[in-house]
Amino acid sequence: MIDLKDFEYDELIEYLESIGEKKFRAEQIFSWLHKGVESYSEMTNLSKTTREKLEKETYVSTLKIREKYVSKLDGTVKYLFELPDGNCIESVVMRYHHGLTICISSQVGCRMGCRFCASTIGGLYRSLTAGEILNQVIFAQKDIGERISNIVMMGIGEPLDNYDNVIRFLHNVNHEKGLNIGYRHISLSTCGIADKIYDLAKENLPITLTISLHAPNDAVRNTIMPVNHKYNVTELLKACKNYVDTTNRRLSFEYSLIHGVNDSIENARELAGLIKGLHSHVNLIPVNKVEERDYKQGSKADIRDFRDKLVSSGVNATIRRELGADISASCGQLRKKVL
Ligand code: SAH
């Protein structure tokens, strides 16, 4: 059975024509799917025969809300969604003054092995389909009843390890007949699969690329991010520079500060030297505690000193504000608990 949300718009037209339906049906169906209908019977402007024809080979995929938490501190909503095969993924909706932002997952689990990350502890179960990635936005928006205007692909999984489905999802979520979320309102975060960063640069999508750097050199990065053995810091930054030159977009770096591992003033100086001159911004994140690991946050003063060193060295850097602290909103933590 085919999930129609795995088709891009043009493929949907082709499919409908192949079963003897008119082209204009694509617009109706695409728009219903993105509104979060859960069956063909809700598509009230389709004839009964059209619906019956669709039901033969295709279905309307849904996501079940298995758990939901709302932060009393800042209104952050965290979902544990259940997929049709029983696997679970997490999505988080955050309230910013510029609108609702959803953080979505791209895989069930992750095989990248970053030492500080909860999502990778059980390894990778499987990648999400394009429709499953999209359904997180559709069903969170339906549940909240307000428009979601921004997306960050920073949930569970490595988006560039599920490249084709992620690109398909991006095309669909941006489509004017669907949710119509602008590429400039979408960020994609990667641990640094350099080959795929070159591919992404060629897609001509003005999204924001975020690189989880977390270290200023190979010696430190090798100890916390196994992906660095495949693509080292030099190769990664070469891919980043190509991305900026090709797309003219500013790049973001994520740098989770782990006390005693990557948060010394010397580390800040080295980081500044590494990325100075690259059109970019650094988000500093005090590392979140993961039960299985004994990584610790530095003091507030350590974190400020690190930022100040970057800024005084000519690098744009800010400290990320924490949201949803009372509902363990940081990714991977909820799914792991349920498993
Ligand atoms: N796989 C992608 C996206 C998912 S993780 C990536 O690596 O970018 C989203 C961000 O959270 C990444 O920067 C990741 O390194 C960071 N992260 C994961 N666990 C963390 C933790 N315990 N504390 C702080 N940041 C963490």
Side-chain angles (χ1 to χ4, degrees):
M1 292 294 270
I2 303 165
D3 176 3
L4 290 185
K5 284 177 215 152
D6 286 336
F7 283 142
E8 292 202 19
Y9 193 71
D10 292 345
E11 295 168 329
L12 181 61
I13 294 177
E14 260 173 54
Y15 175 74
L16 291 170
E17 288 180 333
S18 80
I19 59 167
E21 287 295 325
K22 291 270 177 343
K23 196 174 167 174
F24 76 90
R25 292 276 177 225
E27 184 173 336
Q28 297 175 323
I29 294 170
F30 197 81
S31 139
W32 280 120
L33 290 172
H34 287 244
K35 284 195 180 100
V37 299
E38 298 186 31
S39 70
Y40 288 119
S41 59
E42 289 177 61
M43 300 189 181
T44 48
N45 53 0
L46 301 188
S47 70
K48 192 152 172 274
T49 47
T50 302
R51 280 187 252 152
E52 281 170 1
K53 226 189 277 174
L54 287 170
E55 271 159 9
K56 279 200 193 116
E57 289 180 340
T58 73
Y59 67 103
V60 180
S61 64
T62 58
L63 263 188
K64 208 162 89 196
I65 299 174
R66 173 133 160 209
E67 291 180 22
K68 174 182 169 182
Y69 302 89
V70 183
S71 167
K72 292 192 181 71
L73 302 173
D74 49 47
T76 298
V77 186
K78 172 143 192 164
Y79 294 98
L80 184 74
F81 282 122
E82 188 177 319
L83 298 161
D85 67 359
N87 274 308
C88 289
I89 49 170
E90 292 173 43
S91 320
V92 181
V93 179
M94 294 154 288
R95 290 183 180 276
Y96 291 110
H97 54 267
H98 56 269
L100 294 188
T101 296
I102 188 167
C103 175
I104 55 172
S105 298
S106 55
Q107 296 181 310
V108 183
C110 183
R111 59 179 179 147
M112 295 298 130
C114 300
R115 301 273 182 262
F116 45 81
C117 180
S119 301
T120 200
I121 286 170
L124 175 70
Y125 285 74
R126 67 173 175 89
S127 282
L128 297 183
T129 63
E132 287 170 334
I133 302 173
L134 182 65
N135 274 341
Q136 299 169 67
V137 190
I138 291 175
F139 288 101
Q141 173 165 295
K142 188 178 177 187
D143 179 61
I144 292 175
E146 286 173 63
R147 179 164 196 266
I148 291 176
S149 52
N150 297 271
I151 299 176
V152 294
M153 302 201 76
M154 290 190 185
I156 298 170
E158 167 50 48
L160 298 187
D161 189 36
N162 184 17
Y163 189 86
D164 293 344
N165 290 333
V166 164
I167 298 296
R168 208 166 254 283
F169 154 73
L170 290 171
H171 289 158
N172 279 342
V173 81
N174 172 252
H175 201 284
E176 54 172 7
K177 308 290 184 204
L179 292 175
N180 197 12
I181 298 183
Y183 286 126
R184 283 164 204 282
H185 297 268
I186 302 176
S187 296
L188 183 152
S189 180
T190 176
C191 64
I193 304 184
D195 288 349
K196 299 289 180 190
I197 295 174
Y198 287 101
D199 292 345
L200 190 63
K202 288 187 222 136
E203 300 283 349
N204 200 20
L205 305 173
I207 58 171
T208 300
L209 179 64
T210 299
I211 306 290
S212 299
L213 190 57
H214 305 321
N217 58 47
D218 287 329
V220 175
R221 203 163 190 265
N222 281 338
T223 64
I224 52 177
M225 299 182 72
V227 69
N228 200 67
H229 294 291
K230 182 130 194 238
Y231 305 103
N232 65 26
V233 170
T234 308
E235 284 173 69
L236 175 56
L237 283 169
K238 225 172 111 191
C240 290
K241 185 168 183 319
N242 173 73
Y243 189 87
V244 171
D245 291 345
T246 312
T247 62
N248 277 319
R249 300 281 299 156
R250 185 176 82 161
L251 205 74
S252 280
F253 288 106
E254 306 270 272
Y255 197 102
S256 298
L257 290 160
I258 310 174
H259 192 50
V261 174
N262 65 1
D263 70 339
S264 70
I265 289 300
E266 181 48 35
N267 293 147
R269 188 177 299 127
E270 201 178 353
L271 177 62
L274 192 67
I275 62 173
K276 211 174 162 191
L278 190 65
H279 187 36
S280 63
H281 175 268
V282 179
N283 279 315
L284 297 170
I285 311 152
V287 72
N288 271 304
K289 228 183 140 24
V290 173
E291 249 167 62
E292 289 79 353
R293 308 280 185 253
D294 54 4
Y295 292 134
K296 286 184 206 68
Q297 293 186 1
S299 67
K300 285 220 160 61
D302 290 338
I303 293 165
R304 259 184 267 124
D305 290 348
F306 195 96
R307 180 206 48 205
D308 292 347
K309 184 72 208 169
L310 289 179
V311 172
S312 68
S313 311
V315 168
N316 288 311
T318 45
I319 300 168
R320 164 99 37 99
R321 188 164 59 102
E322 190 183 14
L323 292 175
D326 54 335
I327 53 168
S328 69
S330 309
C331 97
Q333 302 182 353
L334 186 58
R335 172 174 164 268
K336 199 163 49 73
K337 220 182 291 165
V338 170
L339 284 179

